[in-house]
């Protein structure tokens, strides 16, 4: 059982909203509210904050009423600015690079971007919600691939070896060093060396603390 978290879900499809609620409550988490548009999401979070009951994380669709374009992600960006400690995990039908970049451009804590297909992998989805609620990062592998692919075109990764780029992609998905080692079938020590080299080549010092893992990705996105 993961640590219990309090969640607000923003999804205009009632069926999907109820499905997400069921997935999370079945795993022991609290869904304190469910809304169908970005305006209602901001209003709900504002009211909960005024009551001293700010949730741990918001799960929001990128596209919601009234225009079904970017209401969800705009609400998410607004909430991240107003409540830096609030985790935000957005769901999208497919990779929308502009929205992913906008969401990741601020603080490196408590942010996630997953494709809706990932919800079908229940364990992975719930783990992502918990990780974001705890201040971590959860990026869909396809999101990472597209964003880092753009970065390579800008020669931002020119100083990294192919293996370091591979490690960085897995880091951006939120994997631990041990998980990366298992994926690449190498030792934990080898992964630690690659990670250290990545930080060094990107100019991320010890003073950046634990968030260097996310800053390494954000460096590319902001270049």
């Amino acid at each position: 059982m993961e640590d219990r978290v309090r969640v607000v879900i923003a999804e205009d499809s009632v069926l999907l909203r109820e499905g997400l609620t069921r997935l999370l409550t079945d795993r022991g988490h609290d869904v304190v509210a469910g809304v169908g548009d970005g305006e209602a999401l901001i209003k709900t979070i504002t009211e909960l904050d005024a009551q001293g009951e700010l949730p741990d994380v918001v799960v929001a669709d990128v596209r919601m009423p009234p225009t079904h374009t970017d209401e969800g992600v705009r609400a998410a960006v607004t909430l991240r600015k107003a409540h830096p400690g609030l985790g935000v995990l957005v769901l999208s039908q497919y990779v929308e690079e502009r929205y992913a970049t906008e969401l990741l451009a601020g603080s490196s804590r408590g942010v996630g971007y997953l494709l809706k297909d990932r919800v079908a992998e229940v364990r992975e989805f719930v783990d992502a919600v918990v990780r974001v609620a705890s201040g971590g990062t959860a990026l869909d592998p396809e999101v990472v691939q597209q964003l880092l692919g753009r970065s390579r075109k800008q020669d931002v990764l020119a100083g990294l070896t192919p293996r370091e780029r591979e490690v960085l992609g897995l880091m951006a998905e939120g994997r631990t060093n041990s998980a990366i080692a298992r994926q690449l079938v190498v030792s934990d020590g080898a992964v630690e060396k690659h990670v250290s080299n990545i930080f060094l080549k990107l100019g991320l010092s010890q003073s950046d603390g634990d968030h260097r893992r996310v800053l390494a990705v954000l460096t590319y996105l902001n270049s």
Side-chain angles (χ1 to χ4, degrees):
M1 176 70 69
E2 301 91 348
D3 292 336
R4 192 184 190 102
V5 299
R6 300 176 69 251
V7 188
V8 169
I9 297 175
E11 166 60 59
D12 61 296
S13 167
V14 176
L15 183 60
L16 180 54
R17 188 165 71 237
E18 292 300 319
L20 294 175
T21 299
R22 180 66 180 271
L23 288 179
L24 292 167
T25 55
D26 281 353
R27 298 299 291 268
H29 302 298
D30 296 326
V31 177
V32 297
V35 299
D37 61 71
E39 184 177 340
L41 173 59
I42 293 176
K43 179 180 179 181
T44 297
I45 295 300
T46 300
E47 292 174 348
L48 288 171
D49 184 44
Q51 298 166 13
E53 298 179 356
L54 190 70
D56 301 303
V57 60
V58 166
V59 177
D61 190 358
V62 166
R63 301 187 174 201
M64 289 194 290
T67 69
H68 292 279
T69 54
D70 62 352
E71 282 84 359
V73 75
R74 285 195 288 107
V77 171
T78 297
L79 290 173
R80 281 176 60 76
K81 292 178 180 178
H83 309 282
L86 176 67
V88 173
L89 173 62
V90 299
L91 304 177
S92 181
Q93 195 67 42
Y94 50 88
V95 179
E96 301 181 82
E97 187 175 307
R98 177 170 65 88
Y99 299 150
T101 303
E102 183 177 7
L103 182 68
L104 294 167
S107 170
S108 61
R109 288 185 57 82
V111 62
Y113 190 113
L114 296 181
L115 297 184
K116 285 187 175 180
D117 289 346
R118 199 68 56 188
V119 176
E121 302 173 23
V122 176
R123 174 76 186 189
E124 186 172 339
F125 168 69
V126 176
D127 285 349
V129 172
V130 174
R131 188 159 64 248
V132 171
S134 302
T137 307
L139 298 181
D140 195 283
E142 291 189 36
V143 175
V144 173
Q145 182 178 2
Q146 287 203 23
L147 296 180
L148 295 186
R150 183 191 67 177
S151 299
R152 282 195 289 273
K153 294 177 183 178
Q154 298 174 343
D155 292 328
V156 180
L157 300 182
L160 301 183
T161 67
R163 176 62 90 180
E164 288 165 354
R165 293 173 184 169
E166 191 173 12
V167 169
L168 179 56
L170 294 171
M171 286 167 53
E173 292 174 23
R175 298 175 187 255
T176 64
N177 284 2
S178 295
I180 293 173
R182 289 193 297 272
Q183 177 74 19
L184 300 181
V185 194
V186 298
S187 68
D188 288 0
V191 173
E192 290 175 4
K193 182 177 180 181
H194 289 313
V195 172
S196 295
N197 287 339
I198 290 169
F199 293 156
L200 180 63
K201 292 178 180 179
L202 295 180
L204 299 174
S205 66
Q206 291 284 352
S207 61
D208 292 314
D210 295 337
H211 304 313
R212 289 189 297 174
R213 298 179 76 87
V214 179
L215 289 174
V217 176
L218 295 182
T219 296
Y220 304 142
L221 302 183
N222 294 329
S223 63

